[in-house]
Every structure is written in C-alpha cells, then in structure tokens.
Amino acid sequence: MHPPSLTGALVLVAVLAAAGAFGWWRRRHDGRLRAVRERTPAAPGRTGSLPAGDPPHRATLATLGVRPGVVTLVQFSAPVCAPCRATRRVLDEVTGRIGGVALLEVGVDEHLDAARDLDVWRTPTVLVVDAAGHVVRRASGVPDRAELLAALAPLTAGVAR
C-alpha cells in the first residue's frame, strides 16, 4: 500500500476550499433582489431594436398574464421545487400587505420558451415588473420579505389600498 501523496492531499484541500467558497457565495446571493438593466432581445432575422418606449419582453410577459398599468410579481416555479412553496408564501404575504400588486405563478415546465426569453435558469425566480411593463428587479431563490417590500414601495406609491 502506498502512502497518500502530497499532490492528492493538495487537490482535496483545493476542491474543499472551492466548494466552500461557492457555497458561501451562493448563500450570500440566493434570494437577493438585484436591479435589472433590460437589453433589447435579438429576434431571429430582425435587425435594429424595439421602438422607443416599448419594453423588451412585452409580448412574453403579456402571454404570461402581465397586464399594462399593474405592478406584477412573476414567480417561475416547478412542481418538484420545495423553495418555490416558501417563495409563494412570501409573495402572498407581500401582495397582501401592499395594494395594487398582482401575483402570477408561472410553471416553468409549461412555459419553457418564456423562461428562456426572460433568462430564467432556476426555480424559484421572481421578476418584479413595473406598471410600464419593464422587469426592474429579479431574484433567484426565496426573496427577502423586507427587501421585496422596499423594492415595491416606490413602484406602488400612488396606488390606493
């Protein structure tokens, strides 16, 4: 039997350190709302951009049920996703506390093209859509309740409860 090599021990330490760093990063960023800078989607066979004032992904969001003039939370979820249920509870509570906010739960398996178009790569993903139809914030994972309330406050400032 050969004694363990120093190279093998160093590889093991490096792998454990990388896994720990990734876990720390993921835990720190999971569920955080981040601002979205929308880009114009590149439609196949089409050059140029959308007309001025027309939000990117308007058609995709409309097919999911987002209505113009309404601030909307769109949750992409899957039937086998346990964090999706926790996300739904957070979103139900938030929409119950703030008037004028609609909530849509979208099954990613039924709307795969929409998920791709909106860059949804994991569930749960929550999109915050302003009344003009722009995706202004997004979170992957269970969003923080206080952070979500703070993000919605300026979008619903003029809405009566």
Side-chain angles (χ1 to χ4, degrees), residues 99-138:
V101 178
L103 174 59
L104 293 174
E105 187 166 2
V106 177
V108 74
D109 48 346
E110 292 117 19
H111 298 282
L112 195 53
D113 289 338
R116 285 185 186 132
D117 187 41
L118 295 166
D119 290 328
V120 174
W121 297 105
R122 64 178 274 221
T123 58
T125 292
V126 176
L127 305 178
V128 179
V129 182
D130 68 8
H134 293 93
V135 178
V136 293
R137 298 210 179 260
R138 68 185 299 138

Side-chain angles (χ1 to χ4, degrees), residues 43-50:
R46 185 171 133 182
T47 59
S49 61
L50 294 173

Side-chain angles (χ1 to χ4, degrees), residues 15-157:
V15 168
L16 290 174
F22 176 73
W24 173 83
W25 178 86
R26 176 94 182 249
R27 175 174 237 154
R28 188 165 162 88
H29 289 87
D30 200 39
R32 295 285 178 183
L33 282 174
R34 65 183 203 278
V36 173
R37 201 175 75 207
E38 288 187 334
R39 22 174 238 269
T40 303
R46 185 171 133 182
T47 59
S49 61
L50 294 173
D54 194 15
H57 310 297
R58 179 189 298 262
T60 301
L61 292 169
T63 61
L64 297 175
V66 174
R67 298 184 324 264
V70 179
V71 175
T72 308
L73 296 175
V74 181
Q75 176 188 349
F76 282 87
S77 58
V80 297
C81 170
C84 293
R85 292 187 285 280
T87 298
R88 179 58 188 234
R89 286 191 297 274
V90 169
L91 298 182
D92 280 339
E93 181 183 324
V94 167
T95 56
R97 291 177 68 182
I98 296 182
V101 178
L103 174 59
L104 293 174
E105 187 166 2
V106 177
V108 74
D109 48 346
E110 292 117 19
H111 298 282
L112 195 53
D113 289 338
R116 285 185 186 132
D117 187 41
L118 295 166
D119 290 328
V120 174
W121 297 105
R122 64 178 274 221
T123 58
T125 292
V126 176
L127 305 178
V128 179
V129 182
D130 68 8
H134 293 93
V135 178
V136 293
R137 298 210 179 260
R138 68 185 299 138
S140 294
V142 181
D144 180 71
R145 186 176 290 106
E147 192 178 6
L148 191 55
L149 287 167
L152 289 171
L155 299 177
T156 59

